[in-house]
Amino acid sequence: MKQYQQHQQYIEEAEQLLLHTYNRYQIVLERGEDVYLYDINGKKYLDFCAGIAVFALGYGNTEYKEALKSQIDKLIHTSNYFYNLPAISAAKKLTKVSGMDKVFFTNSGAEAIEGAIKAARKYAFEKDKREDHEIIAMERSFHGRTMGALSVTGNYKYREAFGPMIGNIRFALMNDWEDLESKVTERTCAILLETVQGEGGIYPAEKEFLQKIRQLCDERDILLILDEIQCGMGRCGTMFAYQEYGILPDILTTAKALGCGVPVGAFLMNQKTAEGSLKAGDHGTTYGGNPLACAAVDKVLDLFEENHIIENVAKTGAYLARRLDELVDKYDFITARRGKGLMQGLVFEMPVRGVIEKAMEKGLIIINAGECILRFVPPLVITQEHVDVMISILEDCFRECIAERDQV
Ligand SMILES: *Cc1c(COP(=O)(O)O)cnc(C)c1O
């Protein structure tokens, strides 16, 4: 009882002090181990959220922690007036696994999007010296909360009250080629999309749609920007999701799992874009690419390879999809599954907040993507056994939901 009161006290204190921009779940987390989280009362949770697709390696990976500790002892920050070794090493590995040529490290996903927007506008400016270029983004997209990123986010709910946006953004329907084509004009400088839409409800781009965009961009010298902040870094079964589509973007944004918990993002570009866009003085950041963040990226990329993360996503992702498909067949209130690898969504006929709260009571952390979609973005080291435990907890929750429904 005392423990519980203390827990409540912390929550009340947090609500007094932290700006209330989130309706948080009533859990105070304290530590993590493997694929489990523990709250301050010692209650254990199986984690299918991974800090929103961040903690790909799970919690408490010793090599990862040691790499960070040793970098802390050496040097945490230098500013970008100087070079540092972790940034060079991380950039070498990141360009190799992505097929891109140049990297700019940021501190978050939204900042990576800001950089991508600036690079695209500058690229077009260099060609015709005009400042009225347009960007096509997708309906239902999510690119972050800063003003530029918000301006390309195709969900009015997030933009309302914050206008005016940056301007000259046109929204097209995801996977609707005709609609997209109708939005292209002489002024279009970039087409921006998530290879697999995350927050919007786990909608993968269709192969033909993305390939046609690539072709259009090539023909008209429009830049293709792929936001893989959520769907990249192995989550969909390839290092970056576009690799399964047989195409490359001109600009790539990444973050979330890139540092596995240390705040870091990046935008990357091919040589053509780098040569034609941002030059010395055009963009900057105080923290971005600092040795601590880059030591994290560097070690994460090593560990992905050593621990065969991609192979595990392919195997366990396929298993997760199969188990979720069974749920679609079994329960009348679940209508579909969508996703790739370990980025899956289950579509419900009703809001899923109740299911999520029940799951948390039973020791499973799971989140939504939109009101009626349950989102599965576990650590990428998850196994089939963890999937089975998760499914069985979910089914317990469903049984309770059904009992409650039948009562009324
Ligand atoms: C989370 C996310 C962002 C924003 O990243 P932040 O680090 O929260 O700024 C942008 N794009 C996508 C696809 C995301 O999932």
Side-chain angles (χ1 to χ4, degrees):
M1 195 57 207
K2 189 146 170 284
Q3 241 183 359
Y4 175 77
Q5 276 171 0
Q6 176 121 71
H7 195 255
Q8 268 322 101
Q9 253 168 26
Y10 284 131
I11 290 174
E12 276 159 33
E13 210 173 358
E15 288 300 337
Q16 260 176 35
L17 296 167
L18 304 174
L19 191 66
H20 188 86
T21 55
Y22 294 96
N23 289 318
R24 292 173 213 267
Y25 295 107
Q26 301 298 294
I27 298 172
V28 186
L29 290 172
E30 188 171 56
R31 64 190 180 88
E33 212 181 285
D34 188 23
V35 296
Y36 300 97
L37 286 165
Y38 296 83
D39 68 17
I40 55 168
N41 295 334
K43 181 171 171 181
K44 184 179 178 183
Y45 300 86
L46 174 60
D47 182 23
F48 263 70
C49 162
I52 320 185
V54 167
F55 255 93
L57 296 167
Y59 305 93
N61 182 298
T62 310
E63 264 190 75
Y64 171 80
K65 288 195 292 191
E66 289 308 318
L68 289 183
K69 287 177 195 167
S70 108
Q71 189 58 48
I72 285 171
D73 288 338
K74 274 190 218 151
L75 190 60
I76 294 174
H77 176 76
T78 58
S79 89
N80 284 301
Y81 288 150
F82 307 96
Y83 301 97
N84 74 72
L85 295 184
I88 299 168
S89 182
K92 199 181 288 176
K93 289 169 192 169
L94 193 55
T95 49
K96 181 160 175 264
V97 295
S98 64
M100 298 281 100
D101 296 312
K102 293 216 192 273
V103 190
F104 184 103
F105 287 109
T106 65
N107 312 291
S108 67
E111 279 172 81
I113 295 291
E114 297 293 333
I117 292 171
K118 280 180 72 177
R121 283 185 166 183
K122 182 78 194 299
Y123 182 84
F125 176 82
E126 286 291 310
K127 289 191 289 182
D128 63 12
K129 303 294 174 210
R130 292 179 64 128
E131 290 186 89
D132 60 351
H133 296 104
E134 297 169 356
I135 294 174
I136 299 177
M138 299 297 138
E139 294 287 355
R140 239 175 20 213
S141 64
F142 180 85
H143 299 292
R145 305 297 198 134
T146 53
M147 285 311 304
L150 201 56
S151 300
V152 290
T153 288
N155 184 335
Y156 183 66
K157 188 182 81 189
Y158 294 129
R159 295 197 309 264
E160 189 184 11
F162 302 108
M165 295 288 117
I166 64 167
N168 288 21
I169 307 299
R170 309 186 103 206
F171 289 100
L173 293 168
M174 179 84 158
N175 292 328
D176 183 334
W177 175 249
E178 269 176 34
D179 186 61
L180 177 101
E181 215 180 10
S182 75
K183 303 285 160 66
V184 179
T185 74
E186 283 300 302
R187 309 256 59 81
T188 306
C189 69
I191 298 175
L192 162 65
L193 70 154
E194 294 152 89
T195 315
V196 179
Q197 290 185 325
E199 305 296 315
I202 320 290
Y203 290 90
E206 283 162 15
K207 194 160 195 169
E208 205 192 333
F209 181 69
L210 196 50
Q211 287 176 340
K212 274 181 156 166
I213 293 179
R214 179 66 275 175
Q215 198 181 352
L216 174 92
C217 288
D218 287 339
E219 284 163 12
R220 308 192 47 162
D221 201 23
I222 293 168
L223 297 179
L224 171 57
I225 307 172
L226 289 180
D227 178 353
E228 296 224 357
I229 289 167
Q230 187 160 162
C231 65
M233 288 300 290
R235 182 145 300 274
C236 291
T238 47
M239 196 63 200
F240 288 96
Y242 56 78
Q243 285 159 342
E244 200 208 306
Y245 294 74
I247 60 140
L248 285 172
D250 298 296
I251 302 177
L252 160 69
T253 59
T254 171
K256 289 199 165 87
L258 181 62
C260 280
V262 172
V264 58
F267 62 97
L268 292 89
M269 53 183 83
N270 56 19
Q271 197 65 32
K272 173 189 94 167
T273 310
E275 278 167 11
S277 64
L278 301 175
K279 297 280 144 44
D282 280 343
H283 197 53
T285 161
T286 300
Y287 285 136
N290 85 32
L292 181 64
C294 288
V297 176
D298 191 52
K299 189 44 103 179
V300 164
L301 291 169
D302 282 345
L303 290 171
F304 261 61
E305 211 171 294
E306 283 167 32
N307 296 345
H308 309 288
I309 296 295
I310 305 291
E311 290 83 344
N312 186 57
V313 175
K315 193 177 89 190
T316 312
Y319 183 73
L320 172 64
R322 206 176 76 222
R323 296 295 326 260
L324 294 178
D325 283 339
E326 286 169 16
L327 299 182
V328 178
D329 288 342
K330 193 164 161 187
Y331 297 96
D332 58 3
F333 49 81
I334 305 176
T335 56
R337 173 193 66 82
R338 284 193 297 265
K340 285 178 185 289
L342 287 175
M343 180 172 180
Q344 299 285 341
L346 210 49
V347 186
F348 285 67
E349 273 179 346
M350 74 274 189
V352 292
R353 178 107 190 176
V355 174
I356 290 173
E357 280 167 359
K358 281 189 184 7
M360 287 184 187
E361 274 167 34
K362 296 179 201 309
L364 168 67
I365 289 185
I366 194 154
I367 53 172
N368 61 312
E371 210 188 357
C372 300
I373 295 155
L374 214 49
R375 166 167 40 169
F376 303 82
V377 285
L380 303 184
V381 293
I382 213 111
T383 63
Q384 296 192 357
E385 288 70 44
H386 297 128
V387 172
D388 289 337
V389 172
M390 180 277 291
I391 295 278
S392 112
I393 295 176
L394 267 192
E395 290 209 272
D396 286 345
C397 299
F398 295 164
R399 270 189 287 275
E400 282 180 21
C401 288
I402 292 167
E404 284 167 19
R405 184 180 66 177
D406 292 347
Q407 249 171 25
V408 275

